[in-house]
Amino acid sequence: METALAKTPQKRQVIFLALLLLLWEAGSETIRYSMPEETGSGSFVANLAKDLGLRVGELAPRGARIHYKGNKQLLQLDIKTGSLLLSEKLDREVLCGATDPCILQFQLLLENPVQFFQADLQLTDINDHSPEFLEREMLLKIPESVQPGTVFPLKIAQDLDIGSNTVQNYTISPNSYFHVVAHNRGDGRKYPELVLDKALDREEQPELSLTLTALDGGAPPRSGTTTIRIEVVDINDNAPEFLQSLYEVQVPENSPLNSLVVRVSARDLDAGTYGTVAYTLFQGDEVTQPFVIDEITGDIRLKKALDFETTQYYNVEIAATDGGGLSGKCTVIIQVVDVNDNAPELTMSTLTSSTPENSPEIIVAVFSVSDPDSGDNGKMVCSIQNDLPFLLKPTFKNFYTLVTESPLDRETRSEYNITITVTDLGTPRLKTEHNITVLVSDVNDNAPAFTQTSYTLFVRENNSPALHIGSVSATDRDAGANAQVTYSLLPPQDPQLPLASLVSINADYGQLFALRALDYEALRVLEFGVGAADRGSPALSSQALVRVLVLDANDNSPFVLYPLQNGSAPCTELVPRAAEPGYLVSKVVAVDGDSGQNAWLSYQLLKATEPGLFSVWAHNGEVRTARLLSERDAAKHRLLVLVKDNGEPPLSASVTLHVLLVDGFSQPYLPLPEAAADAAQADPLTVYLVIALASVSSLFLFSVLAFIAVRLCRRGKAASLGGCSVPKGHFPGHLVDVSGSGTLSQSYQYEVCLTEGSKSNEFKFLKPILPNLLPQSTGKEMEENATFRNSFGFN
């Protein structure tokens, strides 16, 4: 049955109304069992599963167990057989006291799914207690003038049993003066009265001693005895009389000690000591009685704290005795009024310590609430904080389930501290708070995320193998194995790239290592993908791009393209003796495989046959005459030119030039020293032909240079609408930056040389020296090279 849930703007709460509970209990079927008290532990009570129509096999999977108020383990359920057994020996007097019948209510709780069954166990009384008088001796002072038939009340015997097992009769030892009769009290117990059969004579017998025996109704019956000592006193013909035979009073249970409950009053018409009245508590257990009476004033005061939940009313009998021994009695009925002095109690039945994220409506806890107060003081409201994704749902009587209202997200919040507040409706309101901690367990719902989408790493070429070149890092918002990231290299897009032999990655920490030495001239940029995968199930992953830039090192010496140094006969440069200072003798052409400043080349004349005659331009390698030539200058000259790059440390190469001074190119070839003997025998006609050819070649060379200058000037005018401009470029110091292709200028990318070993008027035009060393040249540069070649008819 669903109960109404009263919601306020501040709290979500559920109120169990007493009327709805009564209706539920009236419509539900409760199984009741009966068993005598003091039955041994482990005794069989009933087959609960069979009586409830449940299969024995479903008890264990559904988490069946017995729930009793306060979580006392009085009963236990054998889930294998469905039998209900006693966990311990049950004492009816301890569990129920004087309450009859003694019924223990318990529930069978099934957790998956949640289901409840109500059952009762009634404990029947056995005669295990004997009647017992609180006093070993009673003293009665009876005047001798008392007439036969006079009744004297006696104190009752206490018996913790109930029903027929409690005190049923009283007897007195045989005598000729008295007999005893038993009467029923309002609460069902019997009390004895001593009846005088024959007038007493103090002179004949001033004192009597009788034995009073109390018998219960058990089989066999139990008994208890006390002694009645009777003193015969002088005549006193008036007994005290109370103003009221019955007093009724209500006392709040929280009344302070020694507070006045009620005042009783009795009067005696006698005078003197016979008219003096003394008040005493007559019936009941004076030891456990929470009241005390002033024997002079008759004020009944509180000596022990009252508890409505233990005893709701007291029936107290007061005796007023005068100095002559006569007494009267009255009854005081004290009703204990309930106050809200008990806070609600919460009993946790099931608590789940961990709840998985992303799961809707998970049962976190099952608990029950109770309040021993009555009326509004016993009505309760349950609530939790408003800012939590949880709900309280009523299930069975005062049982609630705490469930998730929506799927939880561990990455947003991994732990919830929930306070369950149970408040009663009394005045003032009392509440109980129970704190539970719910941990959200992780589900692998987050893929690893790299700190960067791409990484750029730098490594200098010629590195040592297994060099640590950098690291990648990825984080996972999950926890445990779901957050443990493993790194790996992704297959390259270019299947020809041997990525596995170039780099490796540490699977645990993302460190990248170069497996072998890299060569800038062979591989300048290396791009590859790395993956990060967690260890969840299923595993999630992400990717990032890594770009490794290889930095150039000065590991390539300059290479001389011209003149060739291949061990063959050297090429000799011819210079006319009439050459002006600054005459271009030759040009040393060299390249460097490095880049940047490592490829900036400079030229230096290290050694010459005649110092000061020739000079080398430092930034382009042109060899020119430094002064006018004279007849005294030697005909053959050997120049040693050093080509050095700008790296750190710098690398260099050297080349040897052979220069032959001739008169007007009429002597085209002058043999080297080892061929001097043959040259002396040369035909003079051949010398003249060589000179003629040299002159023609020089004219042709000057014509070509002039043509190129005109073309460049026209192109400059078209671009800048001005005069002929000198090509601009920023060359630090004496160096020329040619983008990694050496210092060979386009204006000199051709050569004219006599054919090797011709010794005649035969010469050859070589192809333009345009090495393919500019992989990054633009289309415009390629067009200009093509135009240059076409202008001379070169292929």
Side-chain angles (χ1 to χ4, degrees), residues 538-572:
L540 302 178
S541 62
S542 61
Q543 300 178 3
L545 178 66
V546 177
R547 179 182 175 91
V548 179
L549 300 181
V550 182
L551 303 179
D552 183 52
N554 192 26
D555 59 343
N556 289 280
S557 299
F559 178 75
V560 179
L561 298 177
Y562 181 83
L564 297 176
Q565 303 292 308
N566 54 6
S568 61
C571 180
T572 302

Side-chain angles (χ1 to χ4, degrees), residues 14-27:
V14 179
I15 301 178
F16 275 100
L17 299 178
L19 180 59
L20 295 180
L21 287 175
L22 292 175
L23 291 176
W24 186 93
E25 292 177 355

Side-chain angles (χ1 to χ4, degrees), residues 759-770:
K759 297 184 181 179
S760 65
N761 57 357
E762 183 178 342
F763 63 91
K764 173 184 179 182
F765 284 96
L766 300 179
K767 288 185 178 181
I769 302 175
L770 298 173

Side-chain angles (χ1 to χ4, degrees), residues 211-494:
T211 300
L212 178 64
T213 302
L215 299 172
D216 62 21
R222 292 174 175 262
S223 63
T225 62
T226 187
T227 300
I228 301 176
R229 188 165 61 89
I230 300 173
E231 293 181 1
V232 181
V233 297
D234 200 12
I235 187 170
N236 181 20
D237 56 347
N238 288 289
E241 291 182 2
F242 283 91
L243 299 180
Q244 295 176 229
S245 62
L246 178 64
Y247 291 83
E248 291 181 314
V249 64
Q250 292 182 341
V251 180
E253 64 175 332
N254 62 345
S255 298
L257 298 181
N258 203 36
S259 61
L260 179 64
V261 177
V262 67
R263 173 177 290 180
V264 297
S265 178
R267 64 181 180 177
D268 194 329
L269 298 178
D270 294 329
T273 59
Y274 295 135
T276 302
V277 177
Y279 300 93
T280 58
L281 295 175
F282 188 70
Q283 300 287 359
D285 184 0
E286 295 181 0
V287 177
T288 59
Q289 194 76 260
F291 307 101
V292 64
I293 188 170
D294 189 299
E295 63 178 5
I296 298 175
T297 62
D299 291 344
I300 300 177
R301 295 184 179 275
L302 193 63
K303 71 174 183 178
K304 291 183 179 180
L306 301 178
D307 189 2
F308 174 84
E309 288 71 31
T310 303
T311 305
Q312 300 180 5
Y313 69 93
Y314 294 89
N315 194 341
V316 181
E317 292 189 0
I318 307 299
T321 305
D322 61 15
L326 297 181
S327 62
K329 70 173 183 176
C330 72
T331 301
V332 179
I333 297 178
I334 301 173
Q335 182 180 355
V336 181
V337 179
D338 183 46
V339 296
N340 193 24
D341 61 341
N342 290 281
E345 297 178 0
L346 185 147
T347 303
M348 190 64 63
S349 299
T350 302
L351 178 60
T352 302
S353 60
S354 180
T355 300
E357 66 177 336
N358 302 332
S359 299
E361 199 163 333
I362 298 296
I363 296 178
V364 177
V366 178
F367 62 93
S368 63
V369 294
S370 61
D371 193 320
D373 293 323
S374 62
D376 288 341
N377 297 332
K379 295 179 181 179
M380 294 162 290
V381 173
C382 288
S383 64
I384 59 174
Q385 303 99 304
N386 283 333
D387 57 346
L388 298 179
F390 296 89
L391 285 177
L392 282 178
K393 289 188 176 182
T395 53
F396 175 81
K397 280 193 175 181
N398 287 345
F399 279 87
Y400 293 84
T401 56
L402 178 65
V403 299
T404 57
E405 184 180 19
S406 59
L408 305 178
D409 186 6
R410 191 205 65 83
E411 287 71 33
T412 302
R413 189 170 179 179
S414 61
E415 179 180 307
Y416 292 88
N417 293 317
I418 303 175
T419 301
I420 303 174
T421 304
V422 185
T423 308
D424 62 24
L425 301 181
T427 303
R429 293 194 175 189
L430 301 179
K431 67 179 181 180
T432 297
E433 293 184 347
H434 186 86
N435 297 317
I436 62 175
T437 300
V438 178
L439 301 178
V440 183
S441 59
D442 186 59
V443 174
N444 192 26
D445 57 346
N446 289 279
F450 281 93
T451 56
Q452 301 174 216
T453 57
S454 64
Y455 296 82
T456 301
L457 307 178
F458 298 90
V459 59
R460 189 167 298 277
E461 68 173 334
N462 303 324
N463 57 283
S464 59
L467 176 68
H468 177 228
I469 61 176
S471 300
V472 296
S473 178
T475 58
D476 196 312
R477 297 178 60 198
D478 294 320
N482 298 331
Q484 296 180 3
V485 179
T486 301
Y487 301 91
S488 62
L489 296 177
L490 299 179
Q493 295 181 353
D494 184 4

Side-chain angles (χ1 to χ4, degrees), residues 153-174:
L154 302 176
K155 293 185 178 181
I156 66 173
Q158 303 292 327
D159 194 337
L160 297 179
D161 296 324
I162 61 173
S164 62
N165 293 326
T166 191
V167 177
Q168 298 296 321
N169 195 18
Y170 292 89
T171 62
I172 199 167
S173 58

Side-chain angles (χ1 to χ4, degrees), residues 580-590 601-606 613-627 639-644 657 726 731 733-736 743-745 748:
E580 297 293 330
Y583 175 80
L584 178 63
V585 177
S586 180
K587 178 179 177 64
V588 177
V589 180
L601 302 181
S602 61
Y603 302 85
Q604 179 182 356
L605 182 61
L606 287 183
L613 181 59
F614 299 98
S615 65
V616 177
W617 288 21
H619 63 282
N620 60 8
E622 294 180 353
V623 180
R624 296 178 180 270
T625 58
R627 58 177 175 81
L639 307 180
L640 181 61
V641 179
L642 177 68
V643 183
K644 182 173 64 174
L657 291 178
V726 179
F731 304 117
H734 60 281
L735 303 178
V736 180
T743 56
L744 180 60
S745 172
Y748 297 97

